[in-house]
Amino acid sequence: MEDFFVLVDKDLKKLELAIDKLITTKISFIKEIVSYIIKSGGKRVRPVLVTLSSKLCGYKGEKHIPFAAIIEFIHTATLLHDDVVDNAKTRRGFSTVNTVWGNEPSVLVGDFLYSKSFELMSQEGNPEILKTISRATTSLSEGEILEIIKTADIKTTEEEYFEVIGNKTAVLFSAACEIGAILGKVTTTQRNALKNFGYKLGIAFQLRDDILDYTSYDEVLGKRVGTDLKEKKVTLPLIHALQSASEKETSIVAKILKKQIISQKDFDRVSKFIETHDGIIYTSSATKKYLQDAKKHLNIFPSSRYKEGLLSLADYMLKREK
Ligand code: FPP
Ligand code: MG
């Protein structure tokens, strides 16, 4: 196990208990679906961020547990919606909720988790955290919508891509870290440092996700490799490859993206094209750059095992295989 997980081991156990306790509903169908997805082995990266950030900021209370659970609920709600949008068949090594129960339950249980999160937050009575999370969820929706607007668009620029992933992924990482800072009642400078650390970490997380979508294997990843291309998402490996492509190559990719169904053969062809134009190497170096920048934001904090934990969590982003 990675050392940052060991550092928050006790908190993660409390988190699992809190997750069970906080999901209250009389409708057993909701419980069944929520426990199916939430117990399916998510990495709990966002709760770890809330926990480590709060401890880095000297927080000694227990409120990081319900907020970590709330962040995980929101994340889970977005996955339930995203898997419908992406027509995804597997996640975390299991069939998606939309595959087992259908699109309607997936969307509506997502709505339930999302609403429950806000109900729980209103009970906590921390307006600063409520503001931070509300802003983040608005960005999540904007990011996901921007992404569908850019579907199959081979002219998508790097700037547009970073806007999508910044909104759909990085803001929630950023909010997770900021919650820790709010709980720890640190200075604005320290709060902003953690906010920026989380944002850049989130960008790196998504860059790695977009690399693995081309390079991994279904069994390792726990979801289907090639989903991005099949759903016509133009991600950084492809954007970079297109920048140095010949006219002929560009027109082949454009033709593939216009197809109704993208085959395995098309995927292999695009993967090869990306490899020839160093799309993966380029995306990996962008990941490294974001992580280096992210880590620099922590320089203003004195050394502690929690700071070490956050730094090693950053290193894990580069290595993670699922
Ligand atoms: C996964 O991206 C999706 C997200 C990070 C964000 C999803 C956001 C929404 C569906 C909108 C907001 C919803 C709510 C409830 C506020 P991906 O498809 O690249 O990753 P994947 O490969 O794991 O599916
Ligand atoms: Mg998806």
Side-chain angles (χ1 to χ4, degrees):
M1 203 198 285
E2 302 290 332
D3 39 1
F4 54 85
F5 278 123
V6 178
L7 197 54
V8 293
D9 192 39
K10 277 192 192 138
D11 296 272
L12 284 180
K13 291 199 173 94
K14 288 183 201 166
L15 172 80
E16 297 309 314
L17 294 175
I19 285 177
D20 286 337
K21 205 183 101 201
L22 295 174
I23 293 295
T24 47
T25 168
K26 285 188 193 132
I27 303 175
S28 58
F29 184 56
I30 297 181
K31 277 219 155 174
E32 187 185 354
I33 294 182
V34 170
S35 49
Y36 177 84
I37 171 107
I38 231 158
K39 300 282 168 202
S40 66
K43 297 179 282 294
R44 308 288 191 247
V45 173
R46 295 156 193 82
V48 170
L49 282 174
V50 175
T51 306
L52 285 176
S53 302
S54 70
K55 290 177 190 283
L56 174 74
C57 295
Y59 180 66
K60 299 273 187 274
E62 287 293 317
K63 287 288 175 198
H64 61 292
I65 302 290
F67 284 116
I70 287 166
I71 285 282
E72 192 66 9
F73 294 155
I74 292 175
H75 167 59
T76 309
T78 71
L79 296 183
L80 286 168
H81 286 185
D82 180 67
D83 284 341
V84 172
V85 174
D86 288 349
N87 193 22
K89 303 287 176 243
T90 53
R91 175 171 298 281
R92 299 169 177 168
F94 295 96
S95 295
T96 50
V97 170
N98 45 306
T99 309
V100 181
W101 287 277
N103 284 347
E104 293 89 343
S106 194
V107 169
L108 296 173
V109 174
D111 290 342
F112 168 84
L113 273 175
Y114 183 65
S115 320
K116 183 58 98 180
S117 303
F118 278 85
E119 185 192 328
L120 292 168
M121 253 186 299
S122 67
Q123 288 162 7
E124 290 299 333
N126 188 322
E128 272 307 291
I129 296 184
L130 182 60
K131 216 193 287 175
T132 302
I133 298 183
S134 311
R135 281 197 190 126
T137 52
T138 306
S139 296
L140 284 175
S141 312
E142 287 172 336
E144 195 82 348
I145 291 163
L146 263 181
E147 187 171 71
I148 57 167
I149 295 171
K150 289 282 143 201
T151 301
D153 183 355
I154 58 159
K155 291 200 173 68
T156 305
T157 63
E158 280 197 26
E159 203 186 344
E160 289 165 337
Y161 166 79
F162 279 105
E163 199 187 348
V164 168
I165 69 168
N167 280 296
K168 78 168 189 177
T169 306
V171 285
L172 198 58
F173 277 70
S174 178
C177 294
E178 203 178 349
I179 291 169
I182 297 169
L183 289 172
K185 296 195 169 74
V186 289
T187 62
T188 310
T189 312
Q190 286 174 318
R191 176 169 162 178
N192 283 335
L194 269 171
K195 187 176 163 181
N196 291 329
F197 167 78
Y199 188 86
K200 287 175 186 168
L201 195 74
I203 295 275
F205 180 91
Q206 190 62 45
L207 288 170
R208 181 79 187 144
D209 211 69
D210 294 347
I211 290 174
L212 293 172
D213 200 82
Y214 277 103
T215 61
S216 187
Y217 303 90
D218 294 9
E219 315 76 55
V220 179
L221 200 57
K223 50 188 183 184
R224 282 203 191 153
V225 170
T227 302
D228 286 346
L229 185 72
K230 288 195 177 118
E231 291 304 313
K232 302 176 184 176
K233 284 188 194 169
V234 182
T235 58
L236 193 58
L238 183 56
I239 293 172
H240 179 75
L242 283 164
Q243 277 166 7
S244 57
S246 67
E247 251 178 59
K248 193 173 165 219
E249 286 171 320
T250 308
S251 80
I252 292 170
V253 175
K255 229 173 164 177
I256 290 175
L257 286 171
K258 279 200 189 92
K259 283 183 160 186
Q260 196 137 44
I261 292 170
I262 295 177
S263 66
Q264 185 59 37
K265 205 170 140 216
D266 296 324
F267 174 74
D268 294 340
R269 204 161 181 190
V270 174
S271 291
K272 190 105 201 27
F273 161 72
I274 288 174
E275 202 187 311
T276 317
H277 290 272
D278 291 336
I280 300 297
I281 294 174
Y282 180 79
T283 309
S284 293
S285 45
T287 315
K288 280 184 202 141
K289 188 190 148 288
Y290 271 95
L291 289 174
Q292 267 167 11
D293 284 357
K295 287 179 180 177
K296 281 188 199 144
H297 289 291
L298 298 187
N299 285 346
I300 60 162
F301 291 94
S303 312
S304 72
R305 52 201 179 114
Y306 303 115
K307 180 168 161 178
E308 286 308 313
L310 286 171
L311 293 172
S312 79
L313 179 54
D315 291 333
Y316 162 75
M317 291 297 149
L318 200 61
K319 303 185 285 199
R320 74 178 181 94
E321 294 294 341
K322 57 175 190 172

